[in-house]
């Protein structure tokens, strides 16, 4: 007979949610009751195992003078300059053996100590509650030597009654935090594993008769325009809303005319809940969410989600966000036309939801639950289908719902993410439906929608989304009757995502498709002197998923990426479409609720990219969904390429944007571009090992261009390679074609250039070449034909594929080098930022200027970037280059091959040459790092092509 002796740390591997904590309740930031923040510097000791040290540190009088210090909120692995361990990044693999609920003996454990005095104004009567808003992953706590209990549920609040233990001074709060616990099996989200007390710690005085839990019910009747308010409270009291002349008892309903809350019009009414012992401020938004006619309707209208998935992240503090950072996130979202957030994959800091209420964002509030790693064993032993774990699942659901139930921004509860299926999820859904009938329930893994109110998918391809929109997707009868959202799409990893405009067209074409949420908001790069920003594997992790953690619309320092600029354009709430034929512009209001009274409309008229006249348009305050054709003024005289640009700007300052902030824009041509013409009048002249042609000189043996006027040019030749993007490479688990890997296998990064002939005739220099990779029979027969009118030099490139090309090309164009002193770039074409065939919605035609360094997009893992689309002409390094047709332009201080080899930005060292790419074509981007590759219309197929460039020296 054998047995295991229980130990003092058995709670770490207990599947229960913990012991000693008070029941969950509504969260509020402040009240008339006194509170004391315990954030700040705490004494800290790290042990390698969960039971390496005894519990004497929790006793009053313990001498922790030789302990280190850490900041709370904070993660200990991001403090101490590496002396407290390192972060670990995995997408879904558990970084420990899967043996639920057991965890490794090697279990980093941080003992935290905080000694505090009560403020002089702390009341002597009543109780007190100690609240932890977030601790990863398991904590046990003591106050003045008394064991209060332990808890799991890292991104959820836990409160403990401590009034009977408090002293006026020298209170000793001891918290032992374990990195791994049974709870870790429920928290396998795609993010860094970061232990610590990473959210606020607060001591709350609880006067006699103070507020316990309360539930604000504030519905809106869109037919009558009235709102009905009822506040249920565990403690009797009264509710007042002065602006609405409301003064009622708790539990009593009252109906009055109100302005409703929506993400577009976030009207909040200030109120107060008053009990015998406390006054709690309320911010009340009246709105009704229903599932009706197979659609998610808010206040009687379907809502179209233009959303993002938001992990909490700061490049230095991890998930320990301060209020300013949270506000910055919300303001950036609003300024980029985003209207919805899925709180992937856990409830955020509650203050973030206050901001969503205030500024207006729809929220899918997601439970702190993911068991993705069990997919590696076909979901065997998955906790969500094991009754022993159901109490923990229900506890997590309750702590989310009870904490966040009074936020009007929260319109959908989500059971969690990528946790398979099982009875535990059904129990959670049943409990949430029973507790809160005013919101819908979401879970992507419930493919037949047995427990959920929304059909949700991740990364479904465009063609499938279209079938779903048309109701041709099959599935259960219940699912076919439900609205559809893409809870994740447009994987924003590195350069991309591509194809989101094509998704948006589908969303707007089919009522059933109610939008989606880009994955994701921000790159989780960690600031690091070695790499700039570190990602998976940079801390020596045994298992890691590389830079898959850097897949956001923001760079880690919160600079918008080109992907965010593209998304802003794609989802803009005002559509501006012109008709140069009749001189009108069609303005369409794509809001779901708001009219256009907040906007002014400005027009400008450009000739060859330069604005020559501008003014304002008189546009009616169109209601949501309405359109109007507005007459433009008579265009002024102008020779060359001309166009209109119309912009929708904020008419005055708003809570989230200043007056003049651009919300939407549209461009449309008036007169087309005139093709570049060079009359072939100069003849090639051979002499002294050189060939002269107009302003240029060439090597007589190879036909290689050497100079144009006084500008040295090196290495001009056909280029088909680009540094692979994350989306080019695809994801390991994908079974469809991953062109980036095929390109590398084919050897497009090491093309050989065979010289076949250098031919001179009366008016042209022709160089014939074959460009092909070693080991394969495919190639590109390439002809460079040079002509000149004496001042300008024209290059016409003809390309003919040879052999059986089964893959598209990454790019097709020419590359050459200029002196490293070349720095300033001017161009007439798309800008100001980069664009590619399926990421060019935000590329605005105009005249732009930049430095070579500013042309680069600093993706955390270097890759193809910086191309400007639709370039008519560009000037760099003393050269002017005109294209026929328009071309893609990029320039950098390293070669594409060097860019491809770099793992971090710090690997890129500027050389003494600026390499310029002039591309006839680029392959699309897609989002195959997790979703679909480029759509067929964005393929750069290997087929015959001809394109020209005209070079001249700038005097």
């Amino acid at each position: 007979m054998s047995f295991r002796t229980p130990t003092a740390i058995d709670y770490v591997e207990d599947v229960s949610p913990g012991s000693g904590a008070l029941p969950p309740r509504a969260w509020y930031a402040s009240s008339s009751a006194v509170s004391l923040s315990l954030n700040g510097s705490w004494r800290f000791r790290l042990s390698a195992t969960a039971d390496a040290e005894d519990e004497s540190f929790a006793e009053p009088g313990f001498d922790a003078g030789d302990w280190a210090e850490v900041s709370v909120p904070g993660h200990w692995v991001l403090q101490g300059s590496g002396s407290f361990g390192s972060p670990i990044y995995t997408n879904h693999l558990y970084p420990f053996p899967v043996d639920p609920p057991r965890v490794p003996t090697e279990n980093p454990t941080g003992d935290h100590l905080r000694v505090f005095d009560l403020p002089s104004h702390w009341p002597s009567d009543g109780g007190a509650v100690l609240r932890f808003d977030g601790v990863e992953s398991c904590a046990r706590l003591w106050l003045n030597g008394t064991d209060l209990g332990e808890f799991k549920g890292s991104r959820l609040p836990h409160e403990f009654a401590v009034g009977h233990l408090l002293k006026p001074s020298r209170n000793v709060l001891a918290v032992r935090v374990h990195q791994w616990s049974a709870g870790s099996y429920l928290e396998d989200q795609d993010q860094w594993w970061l232990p610590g007390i990473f959210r606020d710690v607060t001591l709350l005085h609880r006067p006699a008769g103070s507020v316990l839990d309360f539930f604000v019910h504030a519905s809106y009747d869109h037919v009558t325009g009235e709102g009905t308010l009822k506040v249920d409270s565990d403690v009797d009291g009264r509710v007042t809303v002065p602006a609405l002349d409301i003064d009622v008892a708790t539990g009593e309903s009252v109906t009055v005319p109100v302005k409703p809350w929506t993400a577009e019009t976030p009207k909040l009414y200030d109120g107060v809940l008053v009990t015998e012992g406390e006054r709690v401020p309320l911010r009340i938004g009246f709105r009704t969410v229903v599932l009706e006619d197979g659609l998610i309707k808010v206040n009687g209208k379907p809502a179209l989600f233009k959303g993002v998935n938001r992990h909490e992240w700061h490049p230095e503090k991890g998930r320990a966000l301060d209020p300013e950072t949270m506000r910055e996130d919300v303001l950036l979202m609003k300024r980029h036309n985003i209207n919805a957030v899925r709180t992937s994959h856990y409830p955020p800091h509650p203050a973030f939801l206050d901001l969503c209420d205030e500024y207006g964002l729809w929220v899918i509030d997601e439970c702190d639950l993911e068991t993705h790693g069990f997919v590696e064993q076909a979901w065997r032993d998955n906790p969500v289908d094991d009754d022993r774990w159901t109490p923990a699942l229900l506890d997590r659901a309750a702590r989310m719902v009870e904490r966040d139930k009074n936020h009007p921004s929260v319109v959908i509860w989500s059971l969690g993410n990528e946790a398979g299926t099982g009875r535990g999820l059904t129990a959670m859904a049943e409990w949430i439906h029973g507790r809160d009938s005013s919101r819908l329930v979401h879970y992507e893994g419930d493919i037949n929608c047995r427990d959920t109110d929304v059909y949700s998918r991740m990364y479904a391809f465009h063609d499938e989304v279209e079938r779903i929109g048309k109701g041709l997707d099959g599935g259960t009868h219940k699912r076919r009757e439900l609205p559809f959202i893409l809870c994740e799409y447009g994987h924003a990893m590195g350069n991309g995502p591509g194809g989101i405009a094509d998704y948006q067209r589908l969303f707007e074409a089919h009522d059933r498709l109610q939008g989606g949420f880009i994955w994701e908001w921000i790159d989780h790069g960690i600031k690091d002197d070695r790499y700039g920003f570190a990602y998976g594997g940079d801390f020596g992790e045994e298992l890691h998923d590389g830079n898959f953690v850097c897949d956001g619309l923001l760079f880690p320092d919160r600079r918008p990426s080109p992907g965010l600029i593209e998304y802003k354009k794609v989802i803009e709430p005002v559509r501006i479409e012109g008709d140069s034929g009749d001189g009108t512009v069609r303005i369409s209001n794509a809001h779901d609720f708001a009219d256009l009274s907040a906007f002014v409309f400005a027009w400008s008229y450009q000739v060859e990219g330069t604005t020559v006249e501008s003014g304002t348009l008189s546009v009616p305050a169109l209601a949501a969904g309405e359109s109007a054709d507005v007459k433009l003024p008579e265009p002024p005289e102008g020779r060359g390429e001309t166009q209109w640009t119309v912009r929708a700007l904020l008419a005055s300052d708003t809570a989230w944007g200043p007056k003049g902030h651009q919300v939407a824009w549209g461009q449309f041509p008036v007169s087309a571009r005139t093709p570049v013409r060079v009359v072939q009048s100069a003849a090639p002249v051979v002499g002294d090992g050189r060939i002269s042609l107009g302003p240029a000189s060439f090597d007589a043996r190879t036909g290689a261009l050497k100079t144009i006027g006084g500008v040295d040019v090196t290495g001009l030749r056909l280029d088909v390679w680009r540094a692979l993007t994350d989306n080019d490479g695809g994801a390991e688990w994908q079974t469809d074609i991953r062109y980036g890997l095929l390109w590398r296998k084919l050897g497009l990064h090491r093309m050989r250039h065979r010289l076949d002939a250098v031919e001179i005739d009366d008016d042209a220099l022709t160089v014939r070449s074959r460009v092909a990779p070693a080991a394969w029979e495919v190639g590109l027969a390439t002809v460079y034909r040079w002509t000149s009118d004496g001042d300008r030099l024209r290059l016409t490139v003809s390309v003919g594929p040879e052999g059986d090309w089964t893959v598209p090309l990454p790019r097709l164009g020419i590359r050459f080098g200029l002196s490293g002193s070349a720095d300033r770039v001017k161009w007439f074409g798309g800008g100001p930022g980069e664009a590619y065939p399926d990421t060019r919605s935000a590329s605005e035609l105009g005249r732009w200027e930049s430095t070579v360094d500013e042309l680069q997009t600093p993706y955390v893992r270097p890759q193809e970037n910086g191309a400007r689309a639709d370039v008519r002409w560009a000037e760099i390094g003393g050269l002017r280059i005109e294209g026929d047709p328009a071309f893609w332009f990029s320039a950098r201080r390293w070669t594409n091959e060097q860019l491809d080899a770099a793992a971090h930005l710090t690997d890129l060292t500027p050389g003494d040459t600026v390499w310029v790419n002039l591309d006839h074509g680029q392959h699309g981007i897609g989002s195959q790092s997790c979703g679909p590759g480029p759509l067929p219309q964005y393929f750069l197929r290997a087929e015959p092509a001809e394109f020209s460039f005209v070079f001249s020296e700038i005097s």
Side-chain angles (χ1 to χ4, degrees):
M1 178 177 180
S2 64
F3 63 93
R4 179 172 177 267
T5 303
T7 70
I9 61 161
D10 278 357
Y11 65 89
V12 174
E13 297 181 336
D14 193 328
V15 299
S16 75
S19 64
L22 296 169
R25 65 183 183 123
W27 192 96
Y28 48 93
S30 64
S31 77
S32 61
V34 177
S35 65
L36 175 65
S37 172
L38 298 179
N39 295 347
S41 180
W42 290 49
R43 290 290 183 175
F44 177 76
R45 175 182 65 185
L46 181 64
S47 302
T49 64
D51 58 348
E53 302 288 345
D54 63 22
E55 300 168 5
S56 61
F57 81 102
E59 296 295 331
F62 180 84
D63 183 7
D66 61 345
W67 285 22
E69 294 187 9
V70 294
S71 294
V72 172
H75 305 278
W76 70 67
V77 294
L78 296 182
Q79 304 183 59
S81 301
S83 60
F84 301 145
S86 300
I88 300 170
Y89 169 61
T90 60
N91 168 28
H92 75 280
L93 295 174
Y94 289 104
F96 49 80
V98 178
D99 182 24
R102 306 298 303 279
V103 296
T105 300
E106 298 81 7
N107 187 358
T109 295
D111 290 333
H112 299 68
L113 272 179
R114 178 79 151 85
V115 179
F116 65 93
D117 300 335
L118 295 179
S120 58
H121 60 280
W122 192 271
S124 58
D125 60 339
V129 164
L130 182 64
R131 183 175 69 205
F132 291 82
D133 282 315
V135 183
E136 183 176 332
S137 75
C138 173
R140 186 179 179 190
L141 55 150
W142 298 260
L143 181 62
N144 293 328
T146 298
D147 187 348
L148 298 178
E150 78 285 338
F151 62 90
K152 308 176 191 77
S154 298
R155 269 68 71 173
L156 296 162
H158 294 83
E159 293 183 328
F160 296 83
V162 297
H164 59 297
L165 300 174
L166 290 174
K167 303 183 299 183
S169 62
R170 304 296 298 171
N171 291 281
V172 178
L173 176 57
V175 185
R176 173 165 286 173
V177 180
H178 306 284
Q179 176 156 16
W180 311 122
S181 70
S184 301
Y185 285 100
L186 304 180
E187 296 172 2
D188 189 25
Q189 292 98 338
D190 175 11
Q191 60 180 353
W192 295 95
W193 299 87
L194 298 174
I197 306 173
F198 68 96
R199 286 186 185 162
D200 307 286
V201 182
T202 311
L203 183 68
L204 306 167
H205 179 242
R206 299 284 77 209
S210 61
V211 172
L212 294 177
D213 191 25
F214 62 96
F215 196 160
V216 177
H217 304 276
S219 61
Y220 178 72
D221 187 329
H222 66 279
V223 176
T224 66
E226 295 177 320
T228 299
L229 176 67
K230 184 180 76 165
V231 178
D232 292 328
S233 175
D234 288 356
V235 175
D236 290 343
R238 296 195 69 80
V239 176
T240 58
V241 186
L244 298 176
D245 291 327
I246 291 176
D247 184 349
V248 295
T250 54
E252 181 180 333
S253 295
V254 59
T255 299
V256 294
V258 298
K259 294 180 179 179
W261 188 98
T262 73
E264 297 167 5
T265 57
K267 175 62 178 177
L268 293 172
Y269 291 93
D270 290 323
V272 183
L273 167 60
V274 181
T275 64
E276 177 188 354
E278 189 175 14
R279 297 172 58 88
V280 175
L282 306 177
R283 303 210 77 192
I284 302 166
F286 291 87
R287 58 106 186 93
T288 296
V289 183
V290 296
L291 180 63
E292 184 179 83
D293 302 325
L295 298 173
I296 303 166
K297 292 186 178 180
V298 182
N299 302 337
K301 292 185 177 181
L304 182 62
F305 296 122
K306 304 170 182 177
V308 290
N309 285 273
R310 175 187 177 268
H311 270 293
E312 295 181 304
W313 188 251
H314 187 281
E316 296 174 76
K317 302 174 185 177
R319 288 187 286 278
L321 297 192
D322 55 77
E324 292 74 21
T325 300
M326 289 185 268
R327 187 178 297 272
E328 184 179 359
D329 275 348
V330 171
L331 291 177
L332 279 168
M333 290 177 189
K334 294 292 290 187
R335 290 170 184 171
H336 289 85
N337 296 331
I338 290 163
N339 72 359
V341 179
R342 176 178 174 232
T343 68
S344 51
H345 296 294
Y346 42 83
H349 190 292
F352 178 77
L353 297 180
D354 287 339
L355 295 168
C356 294
D357 294 342
E358 178 182 353
Y359 291 101
L361 289 167
W362 308 118
V363 175
I364 296 181
D365 198 355
E366 194 147 87
C367 195
D368 190 9
L369 173 63
E370 181 166 337
T371 64
H372 199 176
F374 285 92
V375 72
E376 295 295 326
Q377 53 201 56
W379 297 106
R380 186 174 59 258
D381 297 327
N382 185 8
V384 305
D385 201 28
D386 184 334
D387 291 339
R388 295 175 301 168
W389 295 80
T390 299
L393 304 183
L394 290 173
D395 180 76
R396 288 171 183 248
R399 290 188 182 278
M400 171 183 69
V401 170
E402 302 297 5
R403 191 196 77 168
D404 297 342
K405 59 183 177 285
N406 294 326
H407 289 283
S409 57
V410 176
V411 292
I412 297 175
W413 301 116
S414 179
L415 303 181
N417 184 69
E418 291 177 320
T421 57
R423 293 163 288 175
L425 290 166
T426 297
M428 293 171 70
E430 290 176 348
W431 185 90
I432 293 174
H433 277 121
R435 176 59 174 149
D436 180 19
S437 60
S438 69
R439 295 176 173 93
L440 307 183
V441 172
H442 165 274
Y443 177 65
E444 181 268 341
D446 185 9
I447 193 69
N448 289 319
C449 305
R450 180 183 67 177
D451 302 318
T452 54
D453 303 308
V454 181
Y455 178 27
S456 175
R457 290 282 301 282
M458 296 179 181
Y459 308 109
F461 286 24
H462 296 78
D463 55 354
E464 183 184 5
V465 171
E466 184 171 24
R467 290 196 302 273
I468 293 170
K470 293 178 177 179
L472 302 177
D473 54 306
T476 62
H477 176 74
K478 178 183 179 183
R479 193 182 85 182
R480 293 197 306 273
E481 299 298 314
L482 293 180
F484 175 82
I485 63 170
L486 278 169
C487 67
E488 294 179 20
Y489 83 111
H491 197 252
M493 186 176 179
N495 187 333
I500 56 175
D502 304 277
Y503 275 116
Q504 192 66 25
R505 282 189 283 270
L506 293 173
F507 297 158
E508 295 177 4
H510 304 284
D511 291 343
R512 187 189 183 193
L513 307 179
Q514 293 199 247
F517 296 78
I518 295 288
W519 185 268
E520 64 171 306
W521 177 236
I522 187 170
D523 288 342
H524 303 206
I526 294 177
K527 190 174 181 181
D528 187 282
D529 292 339
R530 300 166 298 169
Y531 306 121
F533 293 109
Y535 51 75
D538 288 338
F539 298 96
E541 300 101 306
E542 180 182 45
L543 294 173
H544 67 85
D545 285 290
N547 68 311
F548 201 69
V549 76
C550 294
D551 47 12
L553 295 170
L554 295 180
F555 296 119
D557 57 6
R558 280 180 164 73
R559 284 179 296 164
S561 76
L564 181 58
I565 306 304
E566 174 81 357
Y567 194 42
K568 175 185 178 180
K569 174 61 178 168
V570 166
I571 61 175
E572 59 190 12
V574 183
R575 299 289 188 223
I576 301 171
E577 301 163 303
D579 186 341
S580 57
D582 63 4
T584 63
V585 59
R586 167 153 284 208
I587 307 294
S588 300
N589 184 355
H591 288 96
D592 294 323
F593 299 92
D595 64 23
L596 296 187
S597 59
F599 298 97
V600 293
F601 289 82
W603 63 267
S604 58
Y605 188 76
Q606 288 89 35
V607 177
E608 292 292 309
T610 299
T611 295
V612 296
E613 283 194 22
S614 60
T616 58
L617 281 180
S618 179
V619 177
L622 300 168
E626 289 185 344
S627 298
D629 291 325
V630 180
K631 190 71 175 175
L632 289 162
E634 286 296 317
E637 293 292 327
R639 298 182 62 185
E641 185 173 4
T642 58
Q643 66 180 6
W644 293 102
T645 302
V646 177
R647 308 179 192 277
L649 312 172
L650 289 181
S652 58
D653 291 345
T654 69
W656 52 266
K659 178 181 177 180
H661 168 76
Q662 180 174 285
V663 172
W665 59 274
Q667 282 187 321
F668 43 98
V670 178
S671 59
R673 177 182 181 224
T674 302
V676 182
R677 300 195 181 278
V678 175
V679 178
Q680 302 171 3
S681 58
V685 177
V686 181
D688 202 19
R690 293 275 177 131
I691 302 171
S692 297
L693 178 60
S697 68
F698 300 80
D699 184 286
R701 184 178 62 85
T702 64
L705 177 67
K706 294 299 184 182
T707 62
I708 300 175
V711 179
D712 293 333
V713 180
T714 183
L716 188 149
R717 61 188 189 181
L718 191 77
D719 192 11
V720 299
W721 180 248
R722 72 184 187 195
L724 293 187
T725 70
D726 292 311
N727 288 305
D728 288 338
E732 292 181 2
W733 61 83
Q734 292 176 332
T735 57
D736 50 336
I737 296 173
R738 297 155 66 192
Y739 282 112
L741 304 187
L742 295 176
W743 291 339
R744 201 181 294 280
K745 179 180 179 182
L746 189 59
L748 299 189
H749 59 305
R750 47 177 176 79
M751 299 290 272
R752 309 289 180 87
H753 295 253
R754 186 184 73 203
L755 178 62
D756 288 342
V758 177
E759 302 169 355
I760 300 174
D761 57 30
D762 290 342
D763 60 1
L765 166 65
T766 302
V767 179
R768 301 186 185 277
S769 174
R770 187 175 191 269
V771 182
W776 304 97
E777 64 176 355
V778 297
L780 299 169
T782 306
V783 178
Y784 307 92
R785 188 171 189 271
W786 298 93
T787 58
S788 175
D789 62 2
D791 296 317
R792 295 180 297 171
L793 181 71
R794 184 182 189 101
L795 167 63
T796 299
V797 182
S798 301
V799 179
E802 297 177 344
D804 184 16
W805 281 88
T806 60
V807 298
L809 298 172
R811 70 173 353 122
L812 180 65
I814 61 169
R815 177 174 70 179
F816 59 89
L818 298 174
S819 165
S821 62
D823 183 52
R824 301 300 305 182
V825 183
K826 297 180 181 179
W827 74 98
F828 172 30
E834 73 179 27
Y836 291 83
D838 53 350
T839 67
R840 64 195 300 175
S841 298
S843 182
E844 181 178 340
L845 189 62
R847 291 199 185 199
W848 309 100
E849 187 171 350
S850 171
T851 65
V852 169
D853 292 340
E854 289 167 346
L855 289 176
Q856 315 310 308
T857 303
Y859 294 114
V860 174
R861 186 192 73 80
Q863 55 199 275
E864 166 64 33
N865 73 88
R868 269 54 179 183
D870 301 313
V871 175
R872 278 73 166 146
W873 57 256
E875 296 179 349
I876 181 173
L879 287 182
R880 179 182 175 93
I881 307 152
E882 299 171 84
D884 187 12
F887 57 97
W888 308 83
F889 173 87
S890 56
R892 52 181 63 98
R893 299 187 184 278
W894 34 78
T895 66
N896 295 329
E897 291 76 16
Q898 290 168 330
L899 182 63
D900 191 40
H904 296 87
L905 290 171
T906 50
D907 296 333
L908 293 170
T909 302
D912 57 5
T913 302
V914 170
W915 293 98
V916 177
N917 274 95
L918 311 176
D919 292 319
H920 175 63
Q922 278 270 357
H923 188 64
I925 296 295
S927 62
Q928 200 174 5
S929 52
C930 197
L935 289 169
Q937 60 263 38
Y938 305 119
F939 277 37
L940 179 60
R941 304 185 189 281
E943 54 192 16
E946 184 173 284
F947 48 93
S948 297
F949 302 102
V950 176
F951 300 88
S952 56
E953 185 180 11
I954 302 171
S955 59

